[in-house]
Amino acid sequence: MIRVLMSLLVWGGLALSMAGCAAALSTPRGVVWVTITEATIRVGDPLPVPEGPVVLTITGRVTAAGAGRALRLDMATLEALGRVSMRVDDQVAEGREVVFEGVLLSTLLAVAGTAEEATTLVVVSLNDTRVEIPLSDVRELPVLLATRVDGQPIPIDRYGPLRIVYPFGQVDLQQVIYEVRSIGHLARIEVH
Amino acid sequence: MSDTTPPVSPTARPWLLAAALVVLSALVLGSTVLLGVLLAEQTQQLGENVQESQAIVNANLRPLTQAQREILRLITLLVSEDTTADQLEQQRGFVSSRTQQGTLPSQIYTLGSTSLLQTSRDLRAQWVNEVEPLLRQIIAAPETSDESVRAQAIASLQALERGYNQLIADGELNHRLQGAGLNESTRNSLESAKLLLLALASSVVAFLGLSAIAGFSFLRLTRQREAAAEALVQANQELRKLSAVASLTKNLVVVTDSDGRIEWVNNAFVVNTGYALEEARGLRPGDLLQGPGSDPATIAFMHQRLQAGESIEAEIVNYAKDGREYWIAIEARPTFDTDGRVANYVAIETDVTARKQTEAALRAAFAHERELREMKSRFVIMTSHEFRTPLTTILSIAGYLKMAESSLNADKRADRLSKIEVAAHNIEALIEDVLLYDQTDTAWLQFDPQPVDLVAVTRDMVDQLRSGAGARHSFVCDMPGQPLSIQADRKLLGQILSNLLSNAVKYSAPGSPIEVQVRRDVERGLVRVRDHGIGIPLEEQKHIFEPFYRAGNTGGIAGTGLGMSILRNAVELHGGQIQFESREGLGTTFCVLLPAEPGPEIES
């Protein structure tokens, strides 16, 4: 009788602890973005001289425009690098789910040719806000340089004309870190 | 077999301990579960705190401060003379985006209360409704616009800037208060959790301790059981040996319950008594085996001792199933259970019939020898008295005759010589008696019964006495007229009648009557002789048939003390009976019964 009771106690304890472990597990979710237009300018292709107003300047350790020279891009050139769309839970700016379109930052930097020793991007807004983004973000996450929102160019009232968009809602991102990096009114990228 | 063991149940304590352990374990387990639940609650509280703190972490004052900054820059642009419409438009966008950002639901984390969020939304409305229309007016026609419009826009923007400033200050304070409260709550939760963890740890330790004790006692119990099993095996072997002893012994072994009813008997019992175990089981040995020859006093003694739970040793007659009588020596002992009560009686019985028979034979031989010795001493006394008297007479007369032979005349000499003759005859008669006794004692060797007429023989004997020793007595005869035929040895019958009649003459006074009766008594001939003589003293009546025995009142009357012995021997040889009745000083009646021939005589 004692033997039976003792085994009951032991197995009961084991069962309880296993149930606790199972509750801690969760399922990862996949990241989804959709290509809207294929790229017409690829890595290695010469970048055209901007015809429209320059919306983005890339400085620092980039090679496409020659050593030590800034890369100046207009909206058409940017979108010619391949436009993708991504649905993002934009609690930081819009306060809702929004579909952004634009160029993947990784594509842009590949075309711009970042130096091997580059580690950090400093992104600067039209109203002089400066934020650092480690290059590892660009390698590991689908970070979007948004040119459109809801299919239209982004007005300045909605952080246009360019925005850095992190895949909130698609990947578990720590808000306190990535909220700051989701910068609007983007004007310049310095590669350090 | 052990008689006493301490009255302790050997299995009761470990099981009691086990039960206690189980109950304690259940209690400890229960408290562990309870503590676990409480801890889970605390953990949940902590989780909520983390969520809240995450909210505080997520709080972002930046949009509001930026809104304030962009408003200030917009005011600067409005004040400046050189500002272009594009610049104004861009700055308006900045302000618009920031004020919009300040109304997002997530700003609740930053501001800490819905009322402050509402304030933020009011400020945004103020921007959209009051300031932006004015700005659009100025941007649409920068050169032509009225200065008052510009001044109104600046004033509104300044008011807006103050509003945001206040909002930021209030939000900051809220933020810090929330943090402090959360810290407090977290600290409390941690304290509680620490205590709960401590209690839980103690509980687990207690449970482990109990489990260890339970395991240990289980082990000990197992070991005890193994030891008990081992002991049982040994006890079984011992028991088998003892059982073999009980089964194989020639002694009878009986085991009864405490009530004295048979539970088991061995093979020797079955063989000796003839009762199988199935027949004997449930019965009391006494009821089964004892019978008329069993001594009631011994039975009572055994019963009393066994009732008192004492052991007994006794010897008693028992009966087998076929009625055979045998003696047993019985040794019965009670055995006791653990509470000291009688559990069984074990009786070992030995058949001592042979010994008992030998003892009886020895006793008989001893009695016979003592009888012979007594007879011898009586013979010596008789001889010294009875032989010496006539011898003294003979010797003294012979001496006298020798001395005075010449002086005696023929008459006197003849008288003396006849006295010698009488004395010598007396001695001869005595010797005759002794020889006759010896003869009757062994007469069965030549016993020769044949039909004899009892009446005729008796009449002849009476006539003979009338002319001899009984000449001075009067004989009164009562005899049938026809013969009474009996089966008798003629010589011995003469001796019987002679002894009866001569004793009557000898021990009664001359002249007194002697009554002689002969008659048929059913199938026997009866001779009754009655005298009125000295009689036999009452206390000596039982001895008169012993050889050489003479009653105390016979002094002076010659006799060997053998007459009655001869008489009885002779009667018994015939298968007859002798009876007498006597009162001292009044007389004696002897009655002899001898088996009769079936005859024609009919009892009147």
Side-chain angles (χ1 to χ4, degrees):
Chain A
M1 190 176 75
I2 290 177
R3 218 193 303 227
V4 172
L5 279 171
M6 280 175 67
S7 61
L8 268 180
L9 295 179
V10 169
W11 289 114
L14 274 178
L16 278 174
S17 34
M18 282 174 74
C21 286
L25 297 175
S26 59
T27 353
R29 291 168 63 188
V31 179
V32 180
W33 76 87
V34 183
T35 304
I36 305 292
T37 55
E38 292 294 334
T40 52
I41 301 172
R42 294 189 171 80
V43 178
D45 289 350
L47 289 169
V49 177
E51 289 170 7
V54 171
V55 290
L56 181 66
T57 308
I58 303 176
T59 61
R61 296 175 169 170
V62 285
T63 55
R69 297 184 59 185
L71 195 63
R72 296 154 60 80
L73 302 166
D74 60 10
M75 195 59 94
T77 307
L78 266 179
E79 292 194 334
L81 298 179
R83 210 166 85 226
V84 302
S85 82
M86 187 159 69
R87 181 177 287 276
V88 172
D89 185 16
D90 188 27
Q91 291 300 324
V92 297
E94 298 273 352
R96 61 190 171 94
E97 278 205 345
V98 182
V99 176
F100 287 101
E101 290 173 29
V103 184
L104 286 172
L105 205 52
S106 52
T107 308
L108 172 64
L109 290 178
V111 171
T114 51
E116 277 183 18
E117 64 274 24
T119 57
T120 313
L121 304 179
V122 174
V123 287
V124 184
S125 73
L126 289 169
N127 49 357
D128 305 329
T129 305
R130 291 170 64 92
V131 174
E132 284 191 6
I133 294 176
L135 266 174
S136 57
D137 275 11
V138 181
R139 283 195 294 268
E140 292 161 14
L141 294 167
V143 185
L144 193 68
L145 178 67
T147 54
R148 298 175 189 225
V149 63
D150 298 333
Q152 299 298 316
I154 311 173
I156 195 141
D157 291 30
R158 294 173 69 178
Y159 311 97
L162 292 176
R163 255 192 80 182
I164 296 286
V165 173
Y166 274 81
F168 284 106
Q170 306 274 16
V171 179
D172 274 338
L173 295 175
Q174 211 176 336
Q175 194 181 337
V176 74
I177 293 171
Y178 296 101
E179 182 184 15
V180 179
R181 295 180 189 172
S182 304
I183 192 169
H185 313 302
L186 185 63
R188 194 168 79 239
I189 296 175
E190 299 169 6
V191 181
H192 290 266
Chain B
M1 195 170 293
S2 147
D3 280 351
T4 49
T5 45
V8 174
S9 173
T11 52
R13 271 187 57 243
W15 285 113
L16 205 67
L17 181 65
L21 281 174
V22 168
V23 169
L24 275 175
S25 301
L27 284 175
V28 169
L29 195 66
S31 69
T32 308
V33 169
L34 189 68
L35 287 169
V37 168
L38 290 173
L39 195 63
E41 273 178 17
Q42 285 303 325
T43 311
Q44 195 185 352
Q45 178 62 50
L46 281 172
E48 282 169 15
N49 286 3
V50 167
Q51 272 184 351
E52 250 181 81
S53 75
Q54 185 61 47
I56 292 174
V57 166
N58 288 345
N60 187 4
L61 268 177
R62 223 174 125 77
L64 296 175
T65 55
Q66 293 251 327
Q68 190 183 12
R69 173 173 178 258
E70 298 305 345
I71 289 167
L72 286 172
R73 285 175 73 167
L74 183 55
I75 292 169
T76 307
L77 285 177
L78 282 174
V79 171
S80 167
E81 297 290 329
D82 306 329
T83 306
T84 63
D86 282 349
Q87 278 177 316
L88 270 182
E89 173 56 23
Q90 182 175 313
Q91 192 59 36
R92 183 202 61 78
F94 294 156
V95 174
S96 182
S97 62
R98 289 302 179 189
T99 51
Q100 189 273 335
Q101 204 177 359
T103 63
L104 291 179
S106 59
Q107 284 301 313
I108 189 77
Y109 301 136
T110 316
L111 297 169
S113 76
T114 47
S115 65
L116 285 187
L117 183 59
Q118 189 54 48
T119 307
S120 179
R121 285 175 182 166
D122 291 346
L123 289 172
R124 163 72 179 176
Q126 207 176 323
W127 161 257
V128 172
N129 297 331
E130 291 178 19
V131 185
E132 269 200 320
L134 295 173
L135 283 178
R136 285 188 208 285
Q137 233 178 307
I138 295 166
I139 290 164
E143 303 303 322
T144 60
S145 64
D146 193 348
E147 272 306 307
S148 66
V149 174
R150 198 173 281 256
Q152 195 183 345
I154 288 169
S156 294
L157 280 169
Q158 282 170 339
L160 204 59
E161 192 272 335
R162 280 195 296 276
Y164 275 106
N165 195 47
Q166 188 60 47
L167 184 64
I168 288 163
D170 291 350
E172 182 69 18
L173 185 63
N174 252 359
H175 203 174
R176 280 162 58 188
L177 284 176
Q178 272 183 350
L182 196 61
N183 260 356
E184 182 69 22
S185 164
T186 305
R187 209 172 10 252
N188 289 343
S189 287
L190 281 174
E191 282 297 317
S192 305
K194 217 187 290 175
L195 286 175
L196 281 172
L197 271 174
L198 206 63
L200 197 62
S202 317
S203 173
V204 166
V205 166
F207 181 68
L208 287 177
L210 280 172
S211 301
I213 292 170
F216 178 71
S217 20
F218 185 71
L219 255 173
R220 207 179 55 172
L221 194 66
T222 309
R223 233 175 258 151
Q224 275 179 357
R225 276 162 65 185
E226 279 167 3
E230 179 80 8
L232 200 64
V233 167
Q234 283 182 356
N236 255 335
Q237 284 171 353
E238 195 72 12
L239 204 62
R240 215 174 299 143
K241 272 187 264 174
L242 289 174
S243 164
V245 171
S247 296
L248 297 176
T249 179
K250 281 183 181 172
N251 290 328
L252 287 61
V253 180
V254 180
V255 179
T256 71
D257 59 18
S258 60
D259 197 28
R261 294 181 186 281
I262 292 172
E263 285 183 345
W264 184 83
V265 296
N266 69 346
N267 194 44
F269 179 94
V270 176
V271 171
N272 277 31
T273 64
Y275 292 109
L277 174 57
E278 292 70 38
E279 294 175 89
R281 188 179 281 135
L283 298 175
R284 289 196 169 83
D287 299 342
L288 189 66
L289 302 172
Q290 288 160 4
S294 310
D295 179 27
T298 308
I299 293 173
F301 163 76
M302 286 166 59
H303 193 66
Q304 179 203 336
R305 292 295 295 262
L306 290 179
Q307 287 266 305
E310 293 168 358
S311 54
I312 52 162
E313 288 176 20
E315 292 186 352
I316 194 164
V317 170
N318 273 3
Y319 293 86
K321 192 179 181 183
D322 57 12
R324 183 175 55 84
E325 188 179 297
Y326 60 96
W327 274 91
I328 52 151
I330 180 167
E331 186 184 332
R333 298 192 190 287
T335 64
F336 299 94
D337 63 14
T338 49
D339 295 333
R341 285 189 299 253
V342 172
N344 294 100
Y345 289 102
V346 177
I348 297 168
E349 302 173 353
T350 313
D351 191 328
V352 293
T353 309
R355 199 191 81 208
K356 281 285 172 183
Q357 282 169 349
T358 310
E359 276 176 14
L362 277 173
R363 251 198 310 276
F366 182 67
H368 186 60
E369 196 205 319
R370 194 174 53 189
E371 201 181 301
L372 283 177
R373 224 178 308 126
E374 282 171 6
M375 198 170 84
K376 192 184 87 187
S377 80
R378 285 200 301 269
F379 174 75
V380 170
I381 292 165
M382 184 275 291
T383 320
S384 61
H385 278 89
E386 303 300 320
F387 283 68
R388 189 174 285 167
T389 310
L391 275 175
T392 307
T393 307
I394 291 167
L395 284 172
S396 63
I397 293 173
Y400 177 71
L401 283 176
K402 211 162 119 185
M403 216 167 46
E405 189 180 14
S406 53
S407 61
L408 287 175
N409 59 23
D411 280 355
K412 281 196 176 171
R413 194 157 57 224
D415 178 54
R416 294 295 187 271
L417 283 172
S418 75
K419 278 186 178 166
I420 287 178
E421 196 182 8
V422 167
H425 273 302
N426 275 345
I427 291 174
E428 192 194 11
L430 286 171
I431 290 169
E432 192 70 23
D433 259 6
V434 171
L435 290 174
L436 190 66
Y437 168 74
D438 191 45
Q439 230 173 38
T440 56
D441 208 24
T442 56
W444 55 275
L445 292 171
Q446 52 225 320
F447 181 60
D448 178 24
Q450 44 190 283
V452 178
D453 180 5
L454 183 60
V455 177
V457 175
T458 309
R459 186 172 294 128
D460 285 354
M461 201 57 71
V462 171
D463 288 348
Q464 214 175 306
L465 270 175
R466 269 183 183 142
S467 59
R472 285 185 289 174
H473 285 79
S474 59
F475 287 88
V476 180
C477 293
D478 170 16
M479 301 184 200
Q482 64 268 55
L484 199 171
S485 181
I486 60 166
Q487 279 285 330
D489 182 294
R490 192 170 284 277
K491 198 174 160 202
L492 285 177
L493 180 61
Q495 202 62 52
I496 290 165
L497 293 169
S498 159
N499 275 11
L500 279 175
L501 292 166
S502 63
N503 271 356
V505 169
K506 210 152 111 185
Y507 298 111
S508 62
S512 64
I514 292 171
E515 291 143 41
V516 181
Q517 187 190 23
V518 177
R519 48 178 290 206
R520 190 186 185 88
D521 179 40
V522 194
E523 285 177 357
R524 291 180 298 187
L526 178 148
V527 180
R528 182 182 282 130
V529 177
R530 183 182 181 194
D531 68 47
H532 299 274
I534 59 172
I536 306 162
L538 190 63
E539 64 275 13
E540 296 189 79
Q541 286 182 0
K542 60 186 175 209
H543 295 299
I544 64 163
F545 291 115
E546 293 172 8
F548 306 112
Y549 187 86
R550 301 205 66 205
N553 58 349
T554 58
I557 302 166
T560 56
L562 286 169
M564 294 313 294
S565 304
I566 292 165
L567 182 57
R568 192 191 56 182
N569 283 352
V571 170
E572 284 182 354
L573 267 172
H574 284 87
Q577 274 183 306
I578 183 163
Q579 297 161 351
F580 71 95
E581 236 178 65
S582 183
R583 291 180 70 186
E584 197 177 358
L586 290 176
T588 307
T589 304
F590 273 95
C591 185
V592 169
L593 287 153
L594 295 167
E597 286 280 290
E601 193 189 7
I602 293 162
E603 179 63 25
S604 55

